[in-house]
Every structure is written in structure tokens, then in C-alpha cells.
Amino acid sequence: MTYFPRPVRRLLCIFGLTAATTASHAVTVHGTVTDPLGAPIAHAVVALVHDGKVIVSGQTGFDGSYTLSSADSGRFYVLASGHSFRQLQTQSFYGGTLDDVAQNVVLEPEWVRQSVVVTATGEPEPQAQTSGSVTGIGATQYENRMTIVDTLRQIPGLDVVQTGELGGETSLFIRGGSSTANRVVMDGVPIEDIGGRFDFTNLATTGLESVEAYRGPNSVLYGSDAAAGVVAVTTPRGSTPFPSLLYEGSAGSFGTYRNQVQLAGMKRKLDYYGGFSSLETRNSIPMDAYHDDTGVANVGWSWSAKTEMRVTARNSDSATGLPAGNSGYSFYGIANDGKQLDQDTYGTGTITHAFRDNLHATARYGLVRKREESEQWYPAGNLIAGNYYGDFETVTGANGDTVRGLALLNYGSSSGAVYPYQLALASNRDDLYAEMNYVHGPHLAVVGGARYENERGVEKEPVYAYREGLERENYDYQAQVGGEFKNRLFYTAAGNVEKNGLFGTVGTPHAGGSYYLVRPGKGARGTKLDFNFARGYQEPTLDQQFGSLYTFLTKNGGQATAAQYGITPIGAEQARTYDGGVEQSLFSEKVTLRATYFHNEFGNQIEAVPASLVPVLLPNLTAAQQQSLQAFLNNNYAYELDLNSMSYRAQGAEGEVEYGLGKSVFLRGGYTYLDAVVQRSFASDGPSACSSTGTTGPCTNPGFPGIPIGNYAPLIGARPFRRPPHTAFASAIYTGRKWTGVVDAAYASRSDDSTYLGGDDVNGGNTLLLPNRDLDYAYAKIDVGASYEWKPWATVYSQLNNLSSNQHIGPIGYPSLPFTFETGMRFTLSLGKR
């Protein structure tokens, strides 16, 4: 027996008690480090960081597992890296006394720029394991930009259409789907208008951590409106152990000014982020000024290491001029004295709880409050025969066809119009969602969820004493299974049933799989095959439900006409898609090539018909009654009525390449071919809007004899409007120690469209219609942005947009901004940093 002197025995006793006390009060963090395919990474270095300092580190075992312990409590994150893998930092988490926290880490090869995505399965998942076409855009690509409009052009399969200059309404078409067929989610909560309409121009880059786009129907996870795709944005969280303040201010061409301030940090159980920005510009067109004020907040609080509560909020107040009302400024040459005000408020409240490492629950509440108000103070234009027309203009399409004349800009008092005029729309949604996520080994993961949606909408026009509202209650149930086998085969199968307050019960399936013929590795190793099948559905917008042709006919004695042409109550639009693709890695994963074929069928689509059809649709009314009804529709900006009468096919192929050139340069490029053809159309076989005799068929312009023209909708055999058959993009990103640079280029070929001026010449005729084929111009847009870190706390940046000064980026009639520039500075201040 070894004998120690009394002082040594005392010291050993104190040390033993201290160690035991420390161990009994330690927080333990454990998990597994894997590659993107789920294979464990042995000997990876892992470190536990607290208050910005590494407090303990270690290595993973042969099975990729690790365990780290600390006597500290508060907010931590894990740093992990491995040989030939890029260092990764996890999101911060709270660990308290005696807590055992699971933190699994997925490391990416050094040259690969893949990431963890959410929109494919609703749960965080490495992109390498998903079969769906998902592209994530990081903050570097839009750091110098005011909105994400141009950033979305850098994603294959997406066509971005902005009607006008900065602040002009911006729509998104995914793989040929309509602009309302996209679900837009913020922090997991749908934020688009009722029926899918969403204006991306008012989505400022302030408070955006990442943007993710999923191409294809995903109504199983996201319900109605996810008929063509999903765009998801996330709000940043505080990540520094002290308050970090960032301010930036910039000025640019056309009187453009922007200011932005952000504050973020974390303290023990709390993390917080707040941001505010103000943007204003006068644009290059008269009466087209635009401003937007955006505020964002994200606050999280950990009840314990197992339970977290989080609240996010975003509000945008914007105003933009309406130089040509709802049409193109180039058609008139005269600016309308009008503006549009938008107030968009979004909020989320989320509680997550981990019962065990493999059993998690989430409950989420979402709030959407959207207000849109259009105002016009007087009828701008030249007064001719009781109505107001623009100047004599020449309009030339990209196809070379030309028309000349005066276009109707505003109705006069003799037509029943009243000024000043105001139109107000409100779109509200309350969303409750709950899910359970259970993982049973690598082969099976089960997700079950339910959603309740309450949607309320109002449209009102005080000068006409008009007010109409709606309420829909939707119940949504979903289930999903997924897993992997041998780190090669990954599968997902899911189903959804929704009871919609308007059109009843619908169900959608979704199935997808990925298989690695060759696992990624050195040389040209890494071949992945993908396949997906899905169905989706979409509910009507406010305008479409209020402007239902069936409702209009039945209210005005047109039941016989509805029966004659098979006109039914407004209902759900439907989508079905198959897609399959291959992904190939080259040069030890420095280069990734992707090619995907997709085949979409969009059925029961909502089509617009002009109000000028009233005499044909309601022949039982007197001429005076017909004229009164048509004037009411026109004066209420309801130039059209809607019905489910169109279907079309949209198939094509996407190609994409990514190249990591060293550690500082990343190159991307992509191309999409879209072959979209209309298969059924009321504009082709319904009553003609261009004839008062009740004949069927499309419109014609006497200046183009024998050429059928779709005024409000495309014709059978033609392309859907504003879907170019060819789109492409390319980008180069450089991130150095001091310099950061981004070069973006986007291209779109000519597309079919309409001037929508049927019946709008001075004689009420169609001489201002142009043939639809290739009417919109092709364009190429090149932007350059750069930042230089002048001091650790000060950065100078500049953004140059549309270097070729191309003003045909928007649809026909809508001139785009020419070359613009913006220059500013960023200042970073760490408050209370030790």
C-alpha cells in the first residue's frame, strides 16, 4: 500500500472532490460526423466552442462518433473538420447543467459547395441525399443587392419576369408553371397571397440568411399553391457571444439611396437578431418612384437543451408609382398619376422539443397580413370621345411586327368612371402546423404532420360602394417515410390529403429516389441517378374567385351559356410531374455536372376572358344592360373574368455545372430548355371576344389578316405567355482575404405574349394587338459586385447592374432600368467584446 504524506492526501482529496463535482455538473455533447452520403468520418477533429473560445476538443472514432464535455453552461457550437473536408460550424445551441445534447455534423468535401437543404423533405438533409431539384443561394451572392430578384435568375428552371423598373411587380415561373403556382415560405410558414400570388420585388435582402428553390410540385409538404415549386427564405440568428452591430449606407444612380442597420448576438439561453433597411429611388420613368422600409426580427430562447422557442417577424412598407396603370408604359408615352401601397407583415412562432435523439416534435404558428392599395387621382391622357388615350405610339414586338395608334389609358365619366379612384385588397392567413419526426436507424425515418389554415380576403372600391370578402378553412394531413441503404440508395415516399374550404378534398402523392452508381471520390468518381414523381394543386387567387365567370353568369341570367360552353364554378388547378436526372463528379469533386429531364402536365388551369365578351355571353339582356355590366367590370379594373378552361404541357431539360477553382473561386453555370404547348384553351374554342355575332375562335387584327391572336390567353398549339424556351445563367464568385467579387449573367430567349390591347384602340377595335409568337424580346443581363475590407471594421462595396444597358428585360411595353450603379460602406462594431 502506497503511503502519501498528509498534505498530499489533502490535495488529492480536494482534487477528487473537484473532479467529481465538475463531472456531475458537466454538459455533454455527442454525435456523429459523416460525409454528405451519411458514411462516418473517422479521426475528424471536433471542438466545442463557448463564448467564442474552444474549451474542449477531440477526434471522432472509427464509427464517426464523438463525445465532448464541459463544466460550463450557456450557448455552444461545434467546429468540425477532416482531411480533405471543409471546416464546418454548427448552429448555436444551449447546454445546461447535466444536459446531454446531440449534434450530428455533415462535412462537405473541400471543393464542393453543396449544403443542407430543407424544401425537399421538410427536414434538414444534405443535398447529396435528396432526389429533388433543389438549389440554395448563399448570402454572398446577394450581399450587395437590394432585392433577391436578380439572384433568382441564377437558378436553373426559374424565369423571373419584372414588369418595369425597381419596384415593378415581379413574378416567378418555375419549369413552365404559372406565376401563382409557387409556395413561398419564410422560416417554414407560407407567406404568399391567398392563391399563390407573390411579388418578389418587395422581398428585400435585409434579414435573409439564405434562399432555397425547389423545382417541382411539393403539395404533400406545403399544401396548396406548391403546384410548380417552392421558394424558401430563412431569417438569420445571432451567433456571437456579444452584441454585433452592422451599419451600411449607399447611394446610386436615379436618386437611389439605401440604409441598413443590423444587431445580433446571443447570451446563455437567448439569441437575437434585428434588422432594418430603407430604400428609395425615383427610377428612370416619370411618376415611377419607389421606396421600401423593411424590418426583421428573430428571437430564440431555450427552455432547456431539449426545448427551444423561437419567434420571427418581418414587415415591409412600400410604395411604387403606376406610370401606366396595370399596363406597359411604352404603349402610351404618358405617365398616369397613380401609386400602389403595400404593407406585408409576416410572423412565426415555433416550439421544438426532442423527446429522444431520434424523436422530435415541432409546433408552429404562422401569421400573414397583407394590404395592397392602388390609388389614382385623375384620368391622365388625351380626352377623345369621352375616354382618355395615350399619345400616338409605335409598338414593335421582338418578332418584328409593328402597330401604331392611340391606346385606351383611362375611362372617362361618360363611361361611368369616378376619380379619385381607390382599390384595396387584403389577404390574411393564420396557419397552425404540428409534426412528429421519428428516425429508426438509417433505413427508416417517418414524419407525420397536420396543418390548419384560416384564410380571409377582402376586395373593396369605396367610390363604387363595392366590397366582397371570402374565408377559407383548410385542413391538411401528411405522412412521409424515407431512408437510405448502404449510403447509396436514398428514397422518399409521401402522401397528403387536404380538405379545402373552396373546392373540397384533394390528395397528392410524392415519390423520389437517388442511387449512386459510383460513390464520389478521386478522379471522375461520383455518379448519381435521380427520379421523382409528384402531383400538386393550387387554389384560386382573390381576383379569380371574385371574378369567377360562372358566378357572374348565374347572377345575370346566363345559365344557358354556362351549360353550352361547360363553364363550371372556379376550382383547383392541378399539376403532375415526372423528372429524372444524373449528377457526375469530376476531378476529385472539384467539378459537378447535373442534367435533369422534366415533364409537367398542368390541367384545369384558370384562364382569363375579357369583359368585352358580355354581349356574347348574355344575349338575353338588352344592349343597355350589357353595356352597363361591361362598364361596371371595366371601371372596377375587372377587365377580365376567370374560369378553369386551360391545360398545357411543359417539358424540358436543365443542365448545371459547378467548379471549385481553388479555395477562393467558385464558378456556376446553367441552361434550361422549355418546350411548353397549350392543349386546351377557351380563347381558341370559346365565343370570340372580338365578335358580337356569337362566333367562336380567337381575335384577329386587320393589319395581320389570317393570323389568330390570343388577347388575354394563349391559343391551342402556342406557348403559354412569358415562358421563354431558353434561359441560362453564369456566375463567378471570388472570396479573398480582403476582396470579394461576384459576376452574374442571365439570359432569356424571346417568349410569346400579348399587348392585352384588344378593343383598346380609338374605335374600340383590335388594331393594337400583335401576333403572340416571340413577342417579348430576348435579353442578356450582366451585373458585377465587389467589396473591399479597408479596415477590420470598415468595408467599401459597389454594385454595377445591367452593364449593357438593355431596356428589354421586362415584357413588351415595360421598359427596364438601364445601367445603374450603387456604392456604399459597411461598418461593423462589436459591443462589449472582451
Side-chain angles (χ1 to χ4, degrees):
M1 178 176 178
T2 304
Y3 174 78
F4 293 101
R6 180 177 294 179
V8 175
R9 293 201 306 269
R10 185 178 301 160
L11 183 61
L12 289 174
C13 181
I14 293 173
F15 177 79
L17 288 173
T18 303
T21 303
T22 299
S24 66
H25 288 81
V27 57
T28 302
V29 180
H30 71 276
T32 304
V33 179
T34 63
D35 69 10
L37 297 186
I41 300 176
H43 308 301
V45 177
V46 289
L48 191 62
V49 181
H50 176 63
D51 281 343
K53 299 178 182 178
V54 174
I55 55 175
V56 63
S57 63
Q59 286 188 336
T60 58
F62 288 103
D63 60 353
S65 65
Y66 74 93
T67 301
L68 302 172
S69 297
S70 170
D72 295 315
S73 63
R75 300 203 71 86
F76 302 86
Y77 61 84
V78 174
L79 278 177
S81 62
H83 178 66
S84 76
F85 288 93
R86 190 167 58 252
Q87 180 174 283
L88 182 141
Q89 172 183 320
T90 66
Q91 208 163 56
S92 70
F93 57 90
Y94 173 76
T97 304
L98 302 181
D99 279 335
D100 186 22
V101 184
Q103 288 288 306
N104 295 324
V105 181
V106 178
L107 289 182
E108 298 175 347
E110 191 170 8
W111 310 108
V112 177
R113 294 299 192 274
Q114 294 177 335
S115 59
V116 173
V117 296
V118 178
T119 52
T121 62
E123 296 293 326
E125 187 174 73
Q127 190 174 32
Q129 298 182 23
T130 63
S131 60
S133 299
V134 186
T135 300
I137 298 292
T140 301
Q141 280 202 256
Y142 53 81
E143 185 177 40
N144 297 339
R145 295 188 179 275
M146 305 172 190
T147 73
I148 66 167
V149 171
D150 287 305
T151 304
L152 293 173
R153 302 185 201 271
Q154 301 297 306
I155 298 176
L158 271 60
D159 177 43
V160 180
V161 177
Q162 185 167 30
T163 53
E165 303 187 333
L166 191 59
E169 183 174 358
T170 303
S171 303
L172 183 65
F173 300 86
I174 298 180
R175 286 183 172 177
S178 72
S179 62
T180 57
N182 313 311
R183 177 124 275 188
V184 183
V185 297
M186 183 192 78
D187 300 319
V189 170
I191 62 172
E192 76 277 2
D193 292 1
I194 297 172
R197 177 175 170 264
F198 190 82
D199 186 359
F200 285 91
T201 197
N202 292 327
L203 190 57
T205 55
T206 302
L208 292 188
E209 181 179 54
S210 64
V211 180
E212 193 173 301
Y214 178 94
R215 283 124 35 219
N218 209 346
S219 294
V220 166
L221 293 177
Y222 300 100
S224 60
D225 302 338
V230 180
V231 176
V233 299
T234 56
T235 307
R237 303 181 181 187
S239 59
T240 56
F242 44 79
S244 296
L245 179 68
L246 184 146
Y247 166 78
E248 68 177 84
S250 65
S253 48
F254 301 110
T256 302
Y257 299 94
R258 183 174 64 145
N259 289 277
Q260 178 175 261
V261 62
Q262 301 176 83
L263 177 68
M266 59 183 185
K267 183 70 173 179
R268 293 190 59 79
K269 294 187 175 185
L270 179 73
D271 66 82
Y272 55 91
Y273 167 86
F276 175 80
S277 67
S278 178
L279 163 67
E280 61 179 86
T281 181
R282 67 171 183 270
N283 282 318
S284 70
I285 297 175
M287 308 297 292
D288 195 26
Y290 171 69
H291 85 257
D292 176 81
D293 294 333
T294 294
V296 186
N298 185 345
V299 179
W301 189 74
S302 298
W303 179 274
S304 68
K306 303 292 186 182
T307 305
E308 182 188 71
M309 290 171 279
R310 184 164 301 279
V311 175
T312 67
R314 185 181 187 92
N315 183 80
S316 169
D317 292 311
S318 65
T320 184
L322 298 174
N326 295 317
S327 193
Y329 173 78
S330 298
F331 296 152
Y332 309 104
I334 294 177
N336 233 354
D337 188 15
K339 71 175 180 179
Q340 178 176 307
L341 308 172
D342 287 275
Q343 182 184 56
D344 301 331
T345 302
Y346 316 120
T348 71
T350 305
I351 299 177
T352 58
H353 179 73
F355 294 97
R356 298 195 300 269
D357 288 354
N358 64 341
L359 180 61
H360 297 172
T362 300
R364 181 184 296 119
Y365 166 71
L367 173 147
V368 176
R369 300 290 186 269
K370 307 187 79 169
R371 303 288 185 272
E372 179 181 303
E373 187 176 281
S374 300
E375 300 181 41
Q376 186 173 344
W377 290 273
Y378 69 92
N382 303 299
L383 183 60
I384 302 175
N387 290 322
Y388 294 85
Y389 293 80
D391 291 338
F392 190 90
E393 294 290 329
T394 299
V395 180
T396 302
N399 51 21
D401 294 329
T402 299
V403 292
R404 300 175 178 83
L406 305 175
L408 177 64
L409 181 57
N410 288 300
Y411 288 98
S413 57
S414 61
S415 299
V418 180
Y419 298 91
Y421 171 79
Q422 187 180 84
L423 169 65
L425 297 172
S427 180
N428 301 327
R429 181 187 295 112
D430 292 282
D431 180 282
L432 287 173
Y433 175 75
E435 74 166 35
M436 294 286 289
N437 179 3
Y438 172 68
V439 179
H440 184 71
H443 306 317
L444 179 65
V446 181
V447 179
R451 175 184 287 111
Y452 166 74
E453 239 181 9
N454 181 273
E455 299 177 311
R456 305 172 302 282
V458 175
E459 179 179 346
K460 56 183 178 181
E461 296 160 282
V463 297
Y464 298 109
Y466 172 82
R467 186 186 190 278
E468 191 164 6
L470 65 80
E471 181 173 3
R472 300 175 189 162
E473 289 190 323
N474 309 323
Y475 299 86
D476 191 342
Y477 307 94
Q478 60 188 244
Q480 176 179 271
V481 296
E484 57 93 1
F485 291 91
K486 299 183 181 299
N487 306 124
R488 283 183 181 270
L489 175 64
F490 303 88
Y491 74 93
T492 302
N496 161 280
V497 175
E498 177 176 326
K499 182 180 180 182
N500 186 275
L502 176 64
F503 50 77
T505 302
V506 293
T508 56
H510 185 141
S514 296
Y515 180 71
Y516 280 84
L517 289 174
V518 181
R519 283 178 53 88
K522 293 184 178 181
R525 295 179 59 84
T527 304
K528 175 189 177 188
L529 303 179
D530 294 318
F531 172 77
N532 293 279
F533 163 76
R535 289 183 180 272
Y537 55 93
Q538 177 190 346
E539 62 180 359
T541 66
L542 290 175
D543 289 341
Q544 289 167 342
Q545 183 169 341
F546 294 153
S548 166
L549 178 59
Y550 177 85
T551 302
F552 176 80
L553 291 176
T554 55
K555 283 184 177 181
N556 294 282
Q559 289 86 348
T561 302
Q564 178 185 354
Y565 293 104
I567 300 170
T568 58
I570 206 80
E573 299 177 290
Q574 301 165 357
R576 184 194 68 195
T577 185
Y578 300 89
D579 70 61
V582 59
E583 180 179 308
Q584 179 66 49
S585 298
L586 301 173
F587 306 114
S588 301
E589 299 184 81
K590 294 181 181 180
V591 176
T592 302
L593 303 175
R594 299 185 184 93
T596 303
Y597 167 78
F598 57 87
H599 185 110
N600 300 330
E601 293 284 347
F602 296 100
N604 209 39
Q605 299 292 294
I606 294 177
E607 180 179 355
V609 296
S612 56
L613 267 176
V614 168
V616 180
L617 295 171
L618 298 172
N620 55 305
L621 300 183
T622 66
Q625 290 172 323
Q626 293 170 350
Q627 185 178 6
S628 177
L629 276 176
Q630 185 176 344
F632 172 78
L633 293 171
N634 288 333
N635 290 328
N636 283 272
Y637 285 82
Y639 302 125
E640 59 193 50
L641 296 165
D642 300 292
L643 73 162
N644 296 91
S645 59
M646 180 183 290
S647 62
Y648 61 93
R649 180 209 73 210
Q651 64 178 350
E654 296 171 359
E656 187 177 6
V657 59
E658 296 179 351
Y659 180 22
L661 184 61
K663 297 182 179 181
S664 301
V665 179
F666 183 58
L667 307 177
R668 292 181 65 241
Y671 164 77
T672 302
Y673 170 70
L674 175 67
D675 177 22
V677 178
V678 175
Q679 299 161 320
R680 185 167 63 95
S681 168
F682 194 78
S684 292
D685 50 27
S688 175
C690 307
S691 170
S692 60
T693 62
T695 60
T696 60
C699 296
T700 58
N701 181 341
F704 303 96
I707 299 179
I709 299 174
N711 181 19
Y712 274 39
L715 307 177
I716 293 175
R719 305 178 191 132
F721 290 164
R722 298 181 181 179
R723 274 76 144 191
H726 306 280
T727 54
F729 70 90
S731 70
I733 304 173
Y734 171 79
T735 52
R737 191 174 65 88
K738 291 283 189 180
W739 284 95
T740 299
V742 179
V743 179
D744 289 334
Y747 168 80
S749 64
R750 295 187 294 181
S751 57
D752 291 10
D753 206 346
S754 173
T755 61
Y756 298 96
L757 296 176
D760 282 354
D761 65 18
V762 291
N763 298 312
N766 302 313
T767 60
L768 297 179
L769 283 179
L770 283 168
N772 304 125
R773 190 70 171 183
D774 289 338
L775 190 58
D776 288 341
Y777 285 85
Y779 71 82
K781 188 174 188 291
I782 302 174
D783 306 329
V784 177
S787 302
Y788 174 71
E789 187 183 282
W790 175 50
K791 298 286 185 181
W793 47 269
T795 299
V796 182
Y797 71 93
S798 186
Q799 181 72 33
L800 310 178
N801 294 322
N802 195 9
L803 296 184
S804 64
S805 205
N806 186 343
Q807 291 194 265
H808 286 298
I809 296 171
I812 187 169
Y814 293 91
S816 305
L817 270 173
F819 168 75
T820 62
F821 68 88
E822 175 193 6
T823 300
M825 291 195 69
R826 297 188 183 94
F827 300 93
T828 304
L829 179 63
S830 299
L831 306 176
K833 182 178 179 180
R834 296 191 298 270

